Amino acid sequence: MLVVEDNALNIKLFCDLLAAHGHEPEGVLDSRDALEAARNFKPDLVITDIQLPHVTGLELMEMIRKDDELKDVPIMAVTAYSGVGDDERIRAAGAQAYVAKPISVVRFAETVEDLLAGRNQLAQAPTPQGA
């Protein structure tokens, strides 16, 4: 799995969670390196933050969908900014699911497993505040 996140603490959290569930995560802090890293790593899932400097998560998803080698890899978006219309924008860019920050560890793990099992749909709406 490829994890693209510009926050070092978040990337460690996501990678540790994935490793604890038996996955082999590879983290990328700079979104400009993400497409090449994906081509080299050949992930079974890409997890990307939406709010990234340089190349946004939406732009990265669109680049992955246009890449012949990567176009079928499921994508899970992670965002701290979820509002009306975000799920449509995220789906249009190429994600099958997204989770809102701060993440629920259980939801994060469930969404990863759903995507790996081929349940490719926008699997999670944002968690309501205080939930």
Side-chain angles (χ1 to χ4, degrees):
M1 282 173 209
L2 187 70
V3 179
V4 184
E5 167 66 65
D6 63 320
N7 180 299
L9 291 175
N10 284 344
I11 206 166
K12 180 171 177 12
L13 169 66
F14 297 162
C15 288
D16 287 352
L17 269 171
L18 293 166
H21 284 87
H23 303 293
E24 295 179 23
E26 167 115 357
V28 175
L29 280 165
D30 189 327
S31 59
R32 294 173 291 192
D33 300 330
L35 189 62
E36 182 177 344
R39 287 178 180 144
N40 292 333
F41 188 62
K42 301 194 184 344
D44 52 359
L45 175 66
V46 173
I47 300 170
T48 183
D49 189 9
I50 295 297
Q51 300 296 104
L52 296 167
H54 312 298
V55 177
T56 70
L58 295 175
E59 292 168 337
L60 176 60
M61 289 188 283
E62 290 169 356
M63 290 188 302
I64 289 170
R65 290 295 167 242
K66 290 177 182 173
D67 187 284
D68 287 339
E69 292 181 35
L70 301 171
K71 65 183 178 187
D72 296 324
V73 174
I75 300 173
M76 182 171 89
V78 182
T79 182
Y81 306 101
S82 55
V84 175
D86 281 349
D87 54 345
E88 291 87 11
R89 287 186 318 118
I90 291 168
R91 184 188 334 240
Q96 285 77 28
Y98 81 99
V99 294
K101 292 180 189 175
I103 66 162
S104 156
V105 172
V106 172
R107 290 273 192 182
F108 182 89
E110 287 174 351
T111 304
V112 166
E113 296 309 320
D114 283 349
L115 289 172
L116 292 176
R119 293 184 286 270
N120 294 347
Q121 54 197 345
L122 209 61
Q124 178 185 340
T127 303
Q129 292 295 349

